Amino acid sequence: MLDQFSRTRILYGEETMGRLASSRVAVFGIGGVGGYVVEALARSGIGAMDLVDNDKVCLTNINRQIIATTKTVGEYKVDVAKERVHDINPDCKVETYKTFFLPETQDQFDFKKYDYVVDAIDTVTGKLAIVEKAKEAGVPVISSMGAGNKVNAAMFEVADIYKTSICPLAKVMRRECKKRNIDSLKVVYSKEKPISPLEDLSAGTQKRAVPGSTAFVPSVVGLIIAGEVINDIAKKPVTVKERV
């Protein structure tokens, strides 16, 4: 019988689709990158997701975030994303956390219950905490590097953090990962040099410099990450427990 995943099933097969349906993925950051990760995971048949973000949709999100429309402005991103996931796959179990992930809030999360972790947040301290928690739990993790102030979506690639170059965020993460004896980390990054915004949107505020962004760069990063998650889960050896 045909269903919303039939076209995926003919590529991966019934066993792999069952594995995807029994997997739980945590996505930290439901913005330009993370929103597209969630979208693709939902459309691929992932059975459970934990969505973590304390932000609300604002008007300036509409240019690049799949959950952002004029109707969702002012709503919590995790709530909008949850509703969208259930419109795609009503059977997907979605837990939402209106939390800004930092070392101070990391103990709210038991990483051992996840099959995969996606880091799509902006702060270095938060990213490092996610990576460390995932590594401690023995859970695969993939991290998004800088997508802001970039316009060439074709330059993004998957690499280990220690094989990256050019990207300023990746440079900081390489240094900090080395300090913490993190020997590997799968990331999506670009060698494109960030361009300088023509206007400073942070002028007159207490916020850090606001990066420019497009509709097509964060979406590509998010879809690349989702593809890595799906294919890694698909390649995972079947255990006795899973066969039962």
Side-chain angles (χ1 to χ4, degrees):
M1 184 176 69
L2 295 178
D3 61 23
Q4 66 266 56
F5 305 119
S6 294
R7 297 286 286 269
T8 307
R9 187 176 290 107
I10 60 176
L11 294 175
Y12 285 105
E14 198 66 50
E15 184 180 273
T16 296
M17 293 306 295
R19 192 176 302 147
L20 295 175
S22 64
S23 294
R24 184 172 183 172
V25 179
V27 182
F28 291 87
I30 315 299
V33 172
Y36 277 92
V37 174
V38 172
E39 179 83 5
L41 295 183
R43 292 184 185 275
S44 299
I46 288 293
M49 284 188 266
D50 285 29
L51 312 182
V52 186
D53 197 311
N54 76 330
D55 204 5
K56 293 181 180 180
V57 177
C58 72
L59 190 64
T60 60
N61 295 153
I62 293 176
N63 79 316
R64 67 195 183 282
Q65 298 187 15
I66 195 166
I67 59 170
T69 67
T70 54
K71 291 182 179 180
T72 62
V73 168
E75 297 183 35
Y76 279 101
K77 292 180 180 180
V78 292
D79 290 342
V80 179
K82 179 179 181 177
E83 182 177 355
R84 189 174 177 92
V85 169
H86 283 159
D87 284 343
I88 296 166
N89 180 14
D91 295 325
C92 184
K93 297 176 182 178
V94 182
E95 296 288 339
T96 60
Y97 299 86
K98 298 178 178 71
T99 302
F100 190 57
F101 190 91
L102 286 170
E104 302 91 273
T105 59
Q106 64 182 351
D107 290 338
Q108 297 179 31
F109 303 93
D110 178 9
F111 277 59
K112 291 181 180 179
K113 65 186 179 183
Y114 303 133
D115 294 288
Y116 218 108
V117 171
V118 174
D119 155 38
I121 66 175
D122 296 328
T123 62
V124 172
T125 53
K127 297 174 90 66
L128 290 167
I130 289 171
V131 173
E132 287 188 297
K133 291 280 285 186
K135 296 288 185 180
E136 289 172 7
V139 178
V141 57
I142 185 168
S143 186
S144 171
M145 296 293 101
N149 294 332
K150 296 185 179 183
V151 295
N152 190 342
M155 290 189 70
F156 282 89
E157 60 184 87
V158 180
D160 185 86
I161 188 64
Y162 293 110
K163 295 183 179 179
T164 59
S165 60
I166 309 297
C167 174
L169 178 56
K171 180 179 180 180
V172 175
M173 288 293 290
R174 281 199 310 272
R175 182 182 68 238
E176 296 302 321
C177 282
K178 188 174 182 180
K179 287 180 182 178
R180 291 162 174 76
N181 295 316
I182 297 171
D183 58 7
S184 65
L185 173 62
K186 181 184 284 193
V187 302
V188 176
Y189 86 109
S190 170
K191 293 188 180 76
E192 179 187 6
K193 292 183 178 180
I195 62 178
S196 299
L198 300 175
E199 182 180 355
D200 184 4
L201 297 183
S202 65
T205 72
Q206 300 298 314
K207 296 182 178 180
R208 59 186 172 86
V210 177
S213 193
T214 66
F216 48 86
V217 167
S219 57
V220 167
V221 178
L223 294 176
I224 291 173
I225 288 174
E228 290 297 307
V229 173
I230 295 299
N231 286 324
D232 283 349
I233 292 175
K235 290 184 291 187
K236 187 177 74 170
V238 179
T239 65
V240 174
K241 181 180 178 181
E242 287 173 318
R243 291 194 185 98
V244 174

